[in-house]
Structures are given as structure tokens and as C-alpha cells.
Amino acid sequence: MDVQMAVFHCADGFLKQLMVTKLSQCQYALPLLVPDPFTRQIEFPLWTFRRVNKSWKMRNTNNEIISRTQSIYKAETPMVFFFRFGSVSSSKSHLINSLINEKHNTFFHRNCPGSSKTRVLMDGVVEIAWFCPSGKNTDNFTDCVAFCNLHGDAGDHEKQLQILTEMASVNVVLMPQLDRNDRSSATIQNLYTNRKPLICIFTEDESAVIEMKRNTFKMGLKDRNKSDVSEELKKAINVCLAESSSTFRLEDVSKHSDIRVDEEDDDDCRRGRAAAQQMMCLLENKDLTEIKESFLPHQGKLWRQWSQKNKELHRPQAEKKEIDISRAQTEMLNIRQQQHEFKISEFMKFFFKKIYSHDENEKMFFLKWLRILLDEHISADLSALHHKYNKKKSTVVKFKEDHAKSEKLTAEQTCHEKISEELQAAAFGLEHIMREISQIYESCSSVKKNKKDLQFDFSSLPSLAAEMMISGFPLELMDGDAAHVPVIWISAVLDQLIQKLGDQRVFVLSVLGLQSSGKSTMLNAMFGLQFAVSAGRCTRGAFMQLLKVSEEIKTQMNFDYILVVETVGLHALAGRSTRNHDDELATFVVGIGNLTLINIFGENPSEMQDILQIVVQAFIRMKKVGLNPSCVFVHQNVSDVTAGEKNLEGKRRLQETLDEMTKLAAKDEVYDAERFSDVIRFDVQNDVKYFDQLWEGKPPMAPPNPDYCENIQELNKYIFSHVANSHRMILTYLKVSIQDTWEALLNEQYIFRFRNSLEISAYRKLETEYSKWSWCLRSAMMETENKLYNQIENEALHEVEETDLQKELKKTSEEVEKSMSEFFEKDKDKHILIHWKTSFEIKIKELQQNIVRETKRKLNGILQQQDLQRKIDAQRTLHENTLYEKSKGLALKLRDKAKDEKTLKKEFDLLWKKSMKKIIRDTPAIKEIHMMKDVRKILSDAYGSSNVDHWREGRDIFSVLSYYDYIKVKRSGGYFTNAIRSAKDKFVYVLSKENEFQIKSITTDVALQTDKMIQSFNISKMGYNKSCTEQLTGYIIKRVTEHEKGPVKYVFKKEFFIDLVLSICMRASKMITDQYRMFREANDPVIYVEKEREEYYSIFQKYCHGAISAAIFGEIICQKLKEPIEQSVYKKTARDVANEMRSNCESLNGNRSNLEKHILKTLAEGEDFDKYMDYILTPRDHFKSFIRDEVSRCITDKFSVSVLPKMKENIKLLQQKIMKAAHESTEHVQVNSGDVGLWLKRFTQQLSDELIFSEKDLSGVKHDDVDFTLLEDVIKQALTALISDISSSFSTETFPVNLDYKFRPDQLLIDHLCQCCWVQCPFCEATCTRTIGNHDGDHIVDFHRVTGITGLSYIGTGNLAVQICTSAVASSGQYFYQDDYQDDGVPWKEYRRAGKVFADWSISPDLSELPYWKWFVCRFKDNLEKLYNKTFERSGEIPDEWRKYSKQEAIESLDQYI
């Protein structure tokens, strides 16, 4: 007891109250008067009693049993005061225990285990305990009686003695014997003469009880039977109580002077109480059933109405159109507006004033006081209502048993339900105040403005709730009255929790059980929580409470908090509980929990069946959406749980019941399951826990059962072992999980509605990482390709093997593997990502193999073209060297006229002119090309000139709305064209969507392959001839012909062949023309020789002035290096720019969804309808165009700060490498006594990886003896001038012009970013957002579009559809016709039945459409109507609500939803 009192003295007010509350629950005595161990001042800890409630039953004058539950500090009961004088041989505490409960040590005494003879802190302490009768004849006392016990010699504690003897109904004093000379004799004399009953017990006396006078007794204890003593004392006390009219009220103790009352002494407690009392004054004289409607209006009818509307909006309906959805959303917004217009009651204003003005400690006292006073305020009325409810329930049951007339039974049931509603309305606690705050916040959030009478910004309200959660208060997660989760509020509160605590790791323990099945008691015992445990409470829904774990557990379990989610009200009051609501509640808490604890009370088969059916259905729903929560069954109040055979039998029966419930639930959920183990991993031996009865004996005086406490500890260990093996869930994930699970439950068919945002988010992140990994591999291979390309051009490499390329890529490949491994092992979503680990590892390996193969193909293609390339290069070298030799010969003749610059210039110009004439005469002219003319000629020969001549350049087959003009449908009796059916409000495709998909697929693939063919022609190096066009045309026609011979239902008209060839070639013409321009510039002597005229003249001058061989040779080398240096710098800078944009450009540094988001923003800002349709109809081309524009913008905007520095850095590095090569070549020649040939060979070999520069470039240049040291100096000087000259030409204008087509940064990024999935939704043509082309699983898109955007209309009308895919598939009565000749439509909700084009798509039926597309339809309504020659009228009427979206809101929605 000294230890207990030491803790009590050291504790603050809140811990003291918790200690006293727990002691009371365990039927132990409570400290009433406590002397200060230092000052000896007496303290009355009234605050600690405020949460203590006692229940008892007693009989009235009519012998009816009356139940009472009361806060003990207000209860007026008789009080028996025990004290002693002197040292006595018998234990006073033990004697009191025999009166209250002889099987339990209510008062700790000298004979208890762990007791000691000495007392340090207990002397002078007065403890109190209550006897609470059960209404039976065997009760020791017929009324609730308080027993007070003064520890120590009463003579030493006069103040305590005075207070308690005055307040007692009966005084009982123990002493050895009566001695007139003893200091206590005067006190005994006063008590004896007082009229108040007195019982004197002498420990050294052997006599039985004797009534000395009226209400005054004496008795002895020495050598007497303890049972006899107890019985006599009990009778004597009952006699005294019958005669005494005085009662004891705990609160009255505070009226005595010279004692300190904790509530008055603590300023925070006093101010908190005063504030709470002020609030309670506002509730005085108010009808309890109307209080909430008056003081908490935001959570009343409008909130319930809004909740019901929201559920109706999400539930499938036969004819739910977009206009109906929009109207419903408008109605809901209007309800929110009305809710927002409610004035905040004075009650809530006062609450806000106090909660925002106090410091933390005072705020806690205020909240606890408010809870105490609210419970006190409603307790009497609730008790009366419960009495009425139970009485009426008995009547209803009796009527049913007697088979009463239906009118009478109905009347009684109606009355019963009305009382139930009154009970619900009368419930008023702190949770309802918090619910009101939640609805104030949600209404403000919905209308996006603060309330006029709110003195602070509504955005601060979630912070208040978060602080309360941190302080240990439960928060309502699901409002059971409205049967709805306030998702906006809960999300905001969790955001604030994250802000205050950090994104902590939580383990979510969900608890399911029927009303009053002992869940709260179990949780409070296990975790010390504060869930309400009174059976009289009428709360419904789910509550969550945050439990911080110790540092030791945190380290062991890798969790920071346990979040306990408790369901309240399953199978609660009549008229309020429905099977649907219970299923919903159970599914919700199971869905968000890591472990679900299913609590079963007693062995009643019907009750067990009720809870198990709900639970099994919830787990089947989880199983069907890929969630795998765990469960443990706790079977409470089972007698004789130690009997092993009974346990085994009980587990067998539970297993059978679970299997039976599984079969029933599986039928409801259309799921194939025979046993519970088919649904969830479950071991009946380990996952079922049996609990003994909570009380050891019968309440209300029974103490807790020690076996129950042991059961609690075992369950605690089980849960923590499960925690250690569970994946981590951070608070952010919890928020998303709550949103997803509730969104799914809003829809009636849960399975088809579940959208796992956590998985989607994790997959998006994985795609972003995959994009980075693949770019690393591509970037590394680009470097290798460039190096090997240079070697091939320099004739230093004659064969490319895959093994060589794999070796080059090995280092990067290992780095990527390491990065992947770390990502999958360390990312916070690793438990989700593990599902895709293997498939993505395979995809990276496949990508690496494809990159290697493609690089090998390109390089070998260049090797195959080398013979022709050598001829072209040899001709150019011949021309250059001929000019060099002629200019050298002329210079030697004119050396004596070297000072006459005019003569030299004139002679050189004359030589140049003659030489150029000869070159032009001897070299075939490189003419302009007319690719489209060649194409038309080929097509005219094949299909007739009349068909080709009518082709217009504006007719692009890739932009057509439908291919129906290009085909004839195969029929057994021939071919016939498409016809359109007529029926009301049905969606129709003019051409089968499967056919459309097949045709679009073949055209897209042919276009992609022809792009690769054009690149393989290497026109910039090899030139162009008509055979290129013939190969392209032949390939296209061959592919299309093969396609129509396959298993398709149509054949192509010749117009299709013509338009496809012309469209592809028209698109390719610019690329071919640009490449041919580069070829001409490099190979037309008129162009390339003329470009080098100044360099030739410079060398000519040097010869004329008698320059030595080394100076001229160095000049020639630098002249030959100019073009290779420029090429290398531009290529390297292109790769650098691409790398930087991949890292820093917002639109290009993420995954596919991110890129699309920026495209949509750009389109909205530009408001160009034609560009929109280009994006919708030809997404791949639009993506490419967007990437080119982004790169061009970046280059233009950041040229001076980003591109130019890179170019200068790259050219500087090249200069250093060239000089290093020159120096090492000189050293090599000097060591090996070599000549110029050796020097040149060494020099070009060292640069072969970096530059296209080889010995052949100088093969025709004669070089005499050269001073190599001087040559090095000449190169250094000339190279510096050359680098300066090249650098001066760097500009925004020249950069894009001088880039090689294959090595442009935009092309590099296109090659990388466009290797994704391009399949379009068969309804709205939104493009699949998977980053990987050959991805696993269904096609998905973040948000679908309005289907009318693609021309989809209602059959038999000219009305464009306004349906959005996600809401259409949620409807139960809408159909679409995938074929113009199809007799039966396909229900939208069963769209996968329509065939592969549809079956490969996952379209989540919900209302998660993007406001962006609603804005688009309103903004471009006229354009769409004109394009399709249809209107948005009648069935296709655009909802007025859509017109409210502004462009800015549409753009902002992209950031919000994508």
C-alpha cells in the first residue's frame, strides 16, 4: 500500500484519476483523505472520483427491483465509518472485507500477500469502498452502503476522525478494551452520548454482541469465530442503518475546513471545471431529446440527408445519366450550403472559445470536466428511457409469443422503435461535439469559405482533433447515426497528425463484436484505453484511438503507434440496426485493419452466428480485391476454459460455424469458397483465444477474474507477435486506405468498386523508377553507340557482337540492378512493390537485351553500308587533296611574290575557279529530290492515276474519326457497308470497335516500322534514291495485305492503301528531306569544298610565305578536325541536354501520367481545338510533338545558362583530348624513331572513340620531314583558334540546325518516353497510362473522358453522348452496341463481355471523373458538334453544373487528381 500511495503522491491529477478509476473497477478501496507526507495537511482528492460510477439493484416498496447507475461522487448513501484506538490484535480492514465481499480483499490488510508490519505513507489515510446490492435476498445490505476505513490510531489523526464521525451514518470503533484513563475515553464518551449509532468492538473481549442502548452496540473479538463475528456485525449495522436517516455524499467532504481539495487547489482544474459548468448552464431546462438538434444542428437532418444522397449517387441505378449525376451533386452542394448557413450555437461558440484560449493542461481539464458533466447531465434521463425501452421490448416479445393481432403488435413495435429513436437522440457526449466540429469543417470545406460566426479559420479545426487524439481521446471514424464516414474531415485530421508527429508507422487493430459483448472492457484492460464501457450508451459507428508504444517495443516491432479501431452498435437498438449497415461497418473496419480481433461473448449460438456471418462476408470482400488481413477470435465469458477437451470441442464447433457461414456468405458475394480457410489464412488452434469470465463471482460486487487478466496478457503477446511480422503502414497509407475502403463501400457491389489507391500510387512510383533505370541503360548505350559509330567511320571496327555491347553495358547494368534491389528492399511501400519485383526485373533484362540488339542492328547496318560510304568519302577526299596539291604547287611558284597579297589572291581565285569547274564536270550532280512525286508515281502504277491525283495533303489517315469509309464488311453473300440502327438512348459505334481497334493498331504499327526503316536508310550519309520509296511503299502494302488475309471481318478498299502510303510518306518527307540536306552539304563538292575555301587559302598563304612543313601539316590537321569536332560537340551536348531534361524538366522527369498531365495543361492554356483532336486521335504523334516543343523551349529559354555552358565544356574537353593525343603521339614517335605516318596513325587511334577522324582523311596529303615538337606547338596554337572559331558560332539558331537527326535531344527523349502503352479506351479513347509497352495486367487510365468527345452517340439519334466511362459502368440499365449489325446490346457494367478490345481494360465504376473533360466539352461544344455533325441535345444534354468549371479549375484539377 505504501508503494501505491507513493505513486499516488507523485502522479498528476490525470494519472491519479486513472488510478482511482481502475482501483474502483477492480473493487478495491479508494483513498478518500490523504495526509501530505511532509506537511501532514489533509487532502481530499475529489477530482479522482469524478469518473467512478457504481451500479446496483434494490427493491422498492412494491418489491420491484430497481436498477440504478450513478456517479459515485453524487450518490447519497449511508456510510459506515471504521476506526481504531490503540493497537489491536485483529485487522480492521479484514473485518470490513467480510461485510462487503468475504472472497475479495477490498481493503488491503496485514494478512494480504506482500503486506508488511510497518507503514510509511498509509498512517492517517482514509479509504472508502461501497457495497452495491444485486437486488437479491442474499445481499448483506439492501441499499448501497459506503464503508470508510481510517488507517492507524485514530487518536493520532483527530481531523480525519472528526470529519468522518460527523458524516457517518454508523460509527464503528475497534479498541483493545475500554479504559477511563485512556486518551480516547473522552471521544468514546462523546460518541456514546451522541444519537448517532455506535458499535464498539473490543479485541480483548470474548462477549457476543450486546445492545447497550438504542442504536449502540458492543461486541468482542477474542477467540471468537470470524464468521459469527461478521454475521453479528452485519446485523448490528443493518439495525443501525434502519434507524438512521443520515446519508453521506462524497462531494460534501469538501465543505469541511482545514482540508485541501485537489480540485480547488489546482488552478487549471478549477478553471476547466468553471468553463465546463458554464457550458452546461446552456443546457439547463432543455428537453434531452432535442438538445442535439438545437445545439448541434450541423450533424442533424441535413448531414444525414447529405449522407443518404451520397450513397444514392454511388449506388448503381438503371438509368443514371451524367445529367442525373450532376443534378445529384448540385443537390448535395445545396445541402452543404444550407448546412453552412446554420449559425454556430452559443454552446459551440463557448466550446471554441475555451478550447482555443487555454494552455494544454487547462484544456485537458476542461475536456475531461465537460465529459464528466455531460455524462452526469444525461444519465438520469437515459436510465429512464432504457427502463421504458426494456419494458416495451418485453411487451413486444410477449405479443409475438402470444401471436397477438398484427395491429396490436405493429402498434407496440412502432412505440418500441420510437423509444429507440428517443434513446439515440438523447445520447449527448464529447463525441457529438467533435462530430459537430467535423460537420462544420466539411460544410466550410465544401463551399470553400469560412462561416461568418466562426471567429477563426475553419482550417484549424482538424489540428484541434489531432491534438485530442494525441492526448488519448478517441475520434469518431464512422458516424453510426448517418452511417457515413466523414472522409474530408478524417483525411484532414490525419494530415494534421502527420504534421504534428511525422508520418509515423502504425499498426491498425480493428475490433468487431456485438453490442455489449465486452470489447471496450477488453481493450481498456489490454491497452489502458478510454473507450466508453457503459451498457447504457447508445453510440453507433466506429471510433479510433491512438496508442503510443514504448521505445523498447518500437525498436522490437518497428512500429511507433497502435491505432485501435472499435466498432460500436453492431446489432444495437431495435429499429436502428440493419444487416446492411452492420455488413458495411464490419467490412470497413476489416478493410483498414492489419489485424481484426473478433469478439464473441458467451456461448449463445444465435449471437455467435450473427457476428460470424457479418465477419465472414467482410473477409470474402477483402479476399476478392486482393487484400489479406488477418484475424483472431476471442471467445469471452466461456466457463471452465481450462478444460482441454472442452476447448477442442469449442474450436471444432467454431470451425464448423465459420465454414457454414462461409458457404452462405459466398453465395451472397458470388464467390467460390467452401471453408473459412479458403478465404483467409486461419489456424483454429492458434487464432482462437478463450477468455474466462470477466468477474470472479456475480456483479455488482464481484472483482475481476485473475484468469481473465492472464487471458488479456496472452492476447497482448499474440497481437504483438503479429505486429512484429506485419508490414508497416504509415499514417499516409492509413489515410488513403480509409478513403479507398469507404469509396468502395459507398457502392453496393463492393468488389467491382474497390480502387486501391495505395497500389496505384506505388505502381506509379515504380513506373517512375523504371523510367529512370531504363534511361540509365539507354544513356549508357548511347555513349557506347557513339563511340563504336566513330570507330566504324574511322574503319577501326569491322564487326559488332552482342557480347561486346553487353560488356560495355555491364557496369551500368550492375548499377541499375543495385538501384532496383535497394528500391524494392528499402522503399516504404516495399510490401506492396514486392508483387511486381520479379516482373520488373524481367522487364529490365528484356529492355537491356532489346537495347543491345537494336544497337547491334544499327551499327551493323552502318557496317553494311561502308562500301558505298567509302566510295563517297574517297571521292570527297580526292577532291580535297587535289585542291590541296594544286594550291601547294601554285604557292611554290609564287613564293617570290609572297608580299604581293593581291596577286596571290588573284592567282588563288583563278586556280579555285578552274578546279571547281573540273570537279563539277567530273562529278555527277547531287540533285534535289521529289519524294512525294516518286510515291505518287508508284501508287499511280498500282492503283490508277485518277485515284492518286484526287488525294489531298490535308487528308491524313491518322486523323480520321473512323475507318468505316475504308472498309467493306465480309459477309457470306458478299460485302456490304455499315448501317446505323435506331433505338432510344443506346450507345452505338458506327464501326465495330474491335474492327476500329484492329485497323488503328495495324496503321500505327506500320507507321512505327517505317520510321525505323527510314532511319536504317541512313540518308544523311548514304543519300536518297527512288528505291527507298519503293521499299517503303512495298512494305506498307505487304503488311496491310497480310492483315486483311488474317482472321478479320473486313477487307480494305484501295483508298485505304493509297491514303496510308501517302500519309506515312507525307509525314516522313520532312525527316527524309532534312537528312538529304545534310547529305548534300557533306557530299556536294560545290557546297562542302566551297565551305573550306578560306582554310585552303590560309594554307596556300603559308606555303607562299615559306612556312615549314610542320606548320602547314598542323594547319591541315586542324582544318580536317573542324567538322569532326563540331559533330562530336553537338552529339555530346544533345545527350547532355536530354539527360538534364530527364532530371530537371517537370514534364519529362517522371512517368507517363506525369507527361500526360503537362500535355493537358498546355492544351488547356492554348485552347486550340485542332491540337486537342490531334492529341485525342493520334496521341503518340502529339506526345512526340509536345516533347519536341518542350525541348525546343528549354533550349531557347535556357541556352545561355544551360546549353551553351555544356557546349563550351564539351569542346574544351575535346581540345584537351586532342592535345593529349598529339603529345602522346609525339612521345611515341620519338621513342620508336618513327615518321609522320606513325605519328598520324597513333594520333588518329587515340581519337577514334571521340571523333570521326582517321588516316584516310589525310591520305592524299604529302608531308615531308616534320619536326614533331614544333608540330605539337602548331596544333596547339591552331586548335585554340579553331576552337574559338567554332565556339563563336554556338547560338540558339545554329544549335538545332547542326544536330544530327538521330542524336537530337528531342529524338533521344522520344525514343525513351514513347516506349509505353498506346492502347486507347474503346469508349472514350483515353490512352492507357502504363509506362511500359508490353505491361502485365489490364490497361488502365487515371481518369476517363466524356465519351462524346470521340463521336460516340446515342443510337438512332444525332445526340453526342455525355456519359463518362466510369459512371456508365456503374449503371445497371444502360447498354452499348459494339457493332452496327449487333442485335443485342451489352450492359455497360458488363463491358468485358463485348470482347478482347473491352476485356483488356479495367474501368473502375465510380464517380472519379476529371473536371477537366467537363470543362473541355463545354468550352469546345460547338467545335465538337461541327466536327461530328451531331449535337449535345436531349439525351446528350450537357449538365448545367459542368458549365461552372473555369479553365483554371480544370487545370488545377489535373494536379489534384493525377
Side-chain angles (χ1 to χ4, degrees), residues 964-965 967-969 971 975-980 990 1053 1380-1381:
Y964 71 94
D965 282 339
I967 69 160
K968 291 184 288 186
V969 179
R971 287 290 185 273
Y975 301 102
F976 48 119
T977 54
N978 300 284
I980 302 175
V990 177
K1053 299 176 183 178
D1380 62 293
Y1381 48 83

Side-chain angles (χ1 to χ4, degrees), residues 66 209 319 408 665 729 829 839 1034-1035 1338:
I66 302 171
V209 63
E319 292 292 334
K408 284 186 177 181
M729 181 189 285
D829 295 329
S839 64
Y1035 174 78
D1338 291 333

Side-chain angles (χ1 to χ4, degrees), residues 893-1108:
K893 291 178 184 178
L894 297 175
R895 272 189 178 179
D896 56 332
K897 299 178 182 179
K899 293 181 180 180
D900 186 354
E901 195 64 36
K902 284 185 179 181
T903 302
L904 294 179
K905 186 74 169 69
K906 182 180 178 182
E907 291 293 333
F908 179 80
D909 288 345
L910 185 62
L911 172 67
W912 189 266
K913 190 175 181 181
K914 287 180 182 178
S915 299
M916 287 303 296
K917 280 183 179 180
K918 186 176 186 306
I919 290 171
I920 293 168
R921 186 178 66 247
D922 295 344
T923 308
I926 300 178
K927 301 175 183 178
E928 292 288 340
I929 62 169
H930 302 282
M931 177 188 168
M932 292 309 296
K933 185 178 178 181
D934 296 338
V935 174
R936 288 174 185 273
K937 177 70 171 64
I938 294 167
L939 291 174
S940 295
D941 292 343
Y943 300 107
S945 59
S946 60
N947 293 297
V948 179
D949 291 343
H950 285 89
W951 191 82
R952 303 184 311 276
E953 289 191 7
R955 184 176 174 85
D956 183 1
I957 201 169
F958 297 101
S959 300
V960 297
L961 302 176
S962 175
Y963 296 103
Y964 71 94
D965 282 339
Y966 285 115
I967 69 160
K968 291 184 288 186
V969 179
K970 292 177 182 178
R971 287 290 185 273
S972 57
Y975 301 102
F976 48 119
T977 54
N978 300 284
I980 302 175
R981 295 180 169 277
S982 62
K984 188 182 177 184
D985 288 356
K986 307 298 180 189
F987 297 94
V988 66
Y989 296 104
V990 177
L991 175 66
S992 157
K993 204 63 184 178
E994 186 169 355
N995 293 343
E996 291 274 8
F997 177 82
Q998 289 171 346
I999 297 168
K1000 189 162 194 172
S1001 180
I1002 184 66
T1003 55
T1004 304
D1005 188 59
V1006 167
L1008 191 65
Q1009 297 306 320
T1010 50
D1011 276 352
K1012 292 181 178 178
M1013 283 180 70
I1014 292 165
Q1015 289 184 28
S1016 71
F1017 292 155
N1018 201 10
I1019 292 171
S1020 62
K1021 289 288 185 183
M1022 309 306 299
Y1024 167 85
N1025 60 58
K1026 192 177 178 181
S1027 66
C1028 295
T1029 309
E1030 290 171 344
Q1031 284 184 55
L1032 278 179
T1033 307
Y1035 174 78
I1036 296 167
I1037 294 172
K1038 179 186 174 186
R1039 282 290 307 276
V1040 174
T1041 304
E1042 288 174 351
H1043 175 78
E1044 69 178 356
K1045 287 179 181 177
V1048 295
K1049 300 175 182 178
Y1050 50 83
V1051 293
F1052 293 109
K1053 299 176 183 178
K1054 59 185 176 183
E1055 286 83 3
F1056 180 80
F1057 291 89
I1058 294 169
D1059 285 3
L1060 181 59
V1061 171
L1062 289 171
S1063 295
I1064 288 175
C1065 292
M1066 180 59 73
R1067 287 184 167 203
S1069 64
K1070 184 180 185 305
M1071 177 169 62
I1072 290 173
T1073 303
D1074 287 345
Q1075 289 196 33
Y1076 188 70
R1077 173 186 56 79
M1078 295 171 68
F1079 174 78
R1080 279 195 67 192
E1081 288 176 357
N1083 296 285
D1084 189 334
V1086 177
I1087 298 173
Y1088 72 74
V1089 174
E1090 191 62 39
K1091 279 198 318 186
E1092 296 173 353
R1093 181 171 179 165
E1094 290 303 316
E1095 284 80 2
Y1096 279 101
Y1097 183 64
S1098 174
I1099 293 169
F1100 170 76
Q1101 283 180 308
K1102 284 184 169 57
Y1103 271 118
C1104 289
H1105 291 102
I1108 60 174

